[in-house]
Amino acid sequence: MNDRSLSREFTIAMQERAIESCDDIEQLRSVAKTLLRAWQMQASFTEDYAAQLMHLTPPPFSTAPGGAQ
């Protein structure tokens, strides 16, 4: 396991403990909604980036073929 993975695992463990100790349901709901939005945004970025790498979509801000730059 490299340092980045260890650091990431430590951060996850800290956040898990904070969630476990929280007894405010409204706060937990708010965090859950924020995490859901962030997860979906990350999934969208990953899909878009993969499509660009495979040349399935034009890169963002590109000009049309033969167009002025």
Side-chain angles (χ1 to χ4, degrees), residues 2-14:
N2 62 34
D3 291 337
R4 179 175 280 184
S5 294
L6 186 59
S7 174
R8 194 168 288 190
E9 288 299 319
F10 178 75
T11 300
I12 290 169
M14 279 185 8

Side-chain angles (χ1 to χ4, degrees), residues 3 5 14 16 30 37 39 41-42 45 52 56 59-61 66-67 69:
D3 291 337
S5 294
M14 279 185 8
E16 286 176 341
S30 177
R37 286 186 196 102
W39 173 45
M41 186 180 297
Q42 179 63 45
F45 287 147
Q52 287 177 30
L56 298 175
F61 309 112
Q69 293 188 7

